[in-house]
Amino acid sequence: MKRLCLIATLLLCMSGVWANNITVSNTNLSGQNTVSDFTLINFDVAWENSWRTSTNESNYDGAWIFVKFRKNGTSDWRHCTISSTGNTPASGATFFIPSDNKGAFIYRNANGIGNVNYTGNKLQWNYGADGLLDNETVEVRVFALEMVYIPQGSFQLGSGGTETHNFRNGTVQAPYLVASNAAITLGTSAGTLNPNGAGTASGTLPIAFPKGFNAFWIMKYEISQQQYADFLNHIDEARATTNAASSAEINGTHPNLVAQQPERAIGSLNTARLAAHADWSGLRPMTELEFEKASRGYNTPAVPNEYVWGTTQVFYLLSTNNPGLATESVNSPAMANANINNQLGRMTRTGLFARSTGSTRELSGGTYYGLMDMGGNVNEICIGVHTTPGRAFTDNVHGDGYLAASGTTDVASWIDFNAYGWRGGAFNSDADNARTSDRGAITMYSNIYYYDAVTGAAGGRLVRTAQ
């Protein structure tokens, strides 16, 4: 009997290298079952700066694994369906397969800290569900994204400070407690969430809106030029043209587009490009409430006017060592923790401020849960609560791995640019934008950067609801 044949395994890792190094290797297929139409995808995955803790933050990092395939002689990359059963993680790791079977999370199965190297992982690919016959020849590519798990729990929106358009509890200059996933009433009376001038203080955020209370996964780093180039090279040329980034960031001929500074955060996204990338990856955009939860943390008292690293101090980055390389690092000043206020004048490598020794949350510019660059480098494109389309966003829809023929996402509720806003600031933003509760850019740029973001610094990261 003829069997499914793997002709090539080209390993692409949706990540940079060095501080955010993640690699996939030794990919192959084995154990084909021609009765049930499945086979095993074998791979190794390793990354640096991993952790799991049951105290303090009580969270962990991991990797989102998804797989693309194409039939021999075709250029059409398709998304693999991963079985809910029959999967075997490496020793020391565990898998979680979401209910839509678009990929797998792999993460530590016990507390620990340091680099991880998980060898001999096996994911069961239900190739029959993807329209493949038993005797077809395919090429498979495994992608990996470093993610951080944000646990369920209450948190505060707004800091009680003076940030532009900061969330308030009614008209009182005090934080609003998100204590459950229940619908949130917008308003100006006590106990309601006041958008404070960035959106109408009326209506509700329904139960289905991702408020940050429920657990979710979020990318540890901002989308890099290499990650976005990988995305463009694995969709057809017409769709890639629709989603083309700045030629200063990604150049060449499809399907061999090349990231000019692979490790550097990409800054020429817009709402349409971000949504398409999320759809293709099996993820979704994040909301501005999730931005504040991931920055401030669970049940943590807000500090008025705090930055995403939890203090009110900021040290501007002025220069780096080895710019444009995987080894780019902080040069001056030594205590720099944010690429903002146009001091450096450009974007940097993602995760630049992660020091190997002697680091603190303030020094690394990291959030409560260990996310990097949430306060600078490039703007974080988010779903906002300032418009009706934004408030209609739901947490139970993720990308299916495919785009519409036009190259846009085929998730209808992600298309309207009015649903989006910007949080966190960028290298060319005012320092105030790096404050956790600053909403000064939430209403400013959506209509501009929906069409073109080449002149700005629009980027971000993607999330997935923990199911």
Side-chain angles (χ1 to χ4, degrees):
M1 179 178 293
K2 292 184 177 180
R3 296 188 176 256
L4 198 69
C5 177
L6 178 71
I7 61 168
T9 302
L10 304 182
L11 308 175
L12 283 85
C13 305
M14 298 213 34
S15 171
V17 295
W18 208 54
N20 49 326
N21 181 36
I22 186 167
T23 59
V24 177
S25 58
N26 298 324
T27 303
N28 61 79
L29 300 182
S30 67
Q32 183 181 12
N33 185 313
T34 57
V35 175
S36 299
D37 294 332
F38 71 76
T39 193
L40 298 177
I41 301 171
N42 307 284
F43 66 96
D44 302 338
V45 63
W47 69 90
E48 298 175 357
N49 304 320
S50 173
W51 74 86
R52 181 165 183 160
T53 175
S54 56
T55 59
N56 298 323
E57 298 88 353
S58 296
N59 81 318
Y60 43 88
D61 76 336
W64 171 241
I65 306 294
F66 61 100
V67 188
K68 302 285 183 176
F69 75 95
R70 65 179 175 183
K71 296 182 182 180
N72 186 25
T74 72
S75 59
D76 182 24
W77 288 96
R78 311 292 289 171
H79 200 93
C80 290
T81 299
I82 304 302
S83 174
S84 299
T85 60
N87 305 296
T88 306
S91 175
T94 189
F95 280 138
F96 178 79
I97 313 298
S99 59
D100 60 4
N101 305 106
K102 294 300 180 181
F105 287 105
I106 184 170
Y107 49 95
R108 291 173 178 266
N109 64 12
N111 288 349
I113 188 169
N115 301 344
V116 293
N117 183 15
Y118 296 132
T119 62
N121 304 287
K122 300 179 184 295
L123 288 175
Q124 183 172 302
W125 172 26
N126 290 346
Y127 65 81
D130 296 327
L132 280 176
L133 303 177
D134 293 331
N135 61 351
E136 300 203 68
T137 303
V138 296
E139 182 177 359
V140 173
R141 296 189 179 181
V142 176
F143 296 83
L145 274 171
E146 283 185 77
M147 307 286 286
V148 174
Y149 178 78
I150 310 298
Q152 177 178 301
S154 59
F155 69 104
Q156 293 181 333
L157 285 173
S159 74
T162 58
E163 304 94 338
T164 303
H165 300 310
N166 60 351
F167 285 118
R168 296 182 180 183
N169 186 339
T171 57
V172 180
Q173 194 165 320
Y176 177 91
L177 179 65
V178 179
S180 74
N181 196 52
I184 293 177
T185 301
L186 304 178
T188 56
S189 59
T192 62
L193 179 64
N194 186 351
N196 193 19
T200 58
S202 62
T204 62
L205 297 180
I207 291 176
F209 183 87
K211 304 171 189 66
F213 178 84
N214 285 344
F216 61 97
W217 288 88
I218 181 171
M219 287 173 61
K220 188 185 294 183
Y221 307 100
E222 293 165 328
I223 300 166
S224 71
Q225 289 184 22
Q226 184 60 58
Q227 290 168 15
Y228 200 74
D230 289 342
F231 158 59
L232 295 177
N233 284 329
H234 290 82
I235 54 179
D236 63 65
E237 187 172 5
R239 290 179 173 89
T241 299
T242 297
N243 290 287
S246 166
S247 60
E249 295 185 307
I250 297 175
N251 215 329
T253 303
H254 186 274
N256 298 302
L257 297 167
V258 177
Q260 300 305 291
Q261 290 87 29
E263 327 305 331
R264 188 170 291 179
I266 192 165
S268 59
L269 300 189
N270 57 23
T271 59
R273 294 168 192 159
L274 181 99
H277 186 39
D279 196 351
W280 177 84
S281 304
L283 301 173
R284 65 167 174 82
M286 72 170 164
T287 70
E288 60 169 323
L289 274 66
E290 290 173 320
F291 174 90
E292 290 208 25
K293 167 67 175 291
S295 297
R296 178 167 290 128
Y298 160 75
N299 209 25
T300 303
V303 176
N305 300 311
E306 66 184 326
Y307 291 96
V308 299
W309 45 87
T311 74
T312 57
Q313 293 193 94
V314 58
F315 301 98
Y316 304 131
L317 179 67
L318 301 179
S319 65
T320 67
N321 303 306
N322 305 321
L325 301 181
T327 54
E328 185 176 21
S329 62
V330 173
N331 179 31
S332 175
M335 74 288 293
N337 64 354
N339 182 20
I340 203 163
N341 213 43
N342 219 17
Q343 301 297 297
L344 182 67
R346 61 166 173 82
M347 291 158 285
T348 67
R349 174 181 67 82
T350 62
L352 176 82
F353 299 105
R355 273 76 163 189
S356 58
T357 60
S359 188
T360 63
R361 180 179 166 191
E362 182 181 74
L363 186 61
S364 69
T367 74
Y368 180 84
Y369 290 111
L371 306 176
M372 304 301 296
D373 299 317
M374 287 281 267
N377 211 26
V378 295
N379 294 292
E380 305 282 343
I381 300 176
C382 300
I383 298 292
V385 304
H386 57 295
T387 64
T388 299
R391 294 192 292 270
F393 187 80
T394 63
D395 65 358
N396 58 358
V397 178
H398 299 93
D400 62 0
Y402 301 101
L403 304 179
S406 64
T408 64
T409 177
D410 56 6
V411 182
S413 61
W414 297 3
I415 294 174
D416 192 338
F417 63 83
N418 291 295
Y420 296 84
W422 273 247
R423 295 293 296 265
F427 75 89
N428 56 359
S429 300
D430 291 339
D432 285 350
N433 292 146
R435 299 183 192 275
T436 300
S437 296
D438 187 274
R439 302 178 66 237
I442 197 66
T443 64
M444 291 174 62
Y445 305 120
S446 296
N447 61 336
I448 299 173
Y449 292 132
Y450 176 77
Y451 299 103
D452 196 357
V454 172
T455 59
R461 65 194 80 208
L462 308 172
V463 307
R464 198 175 228 277
T465 304
Q467 299 170 312

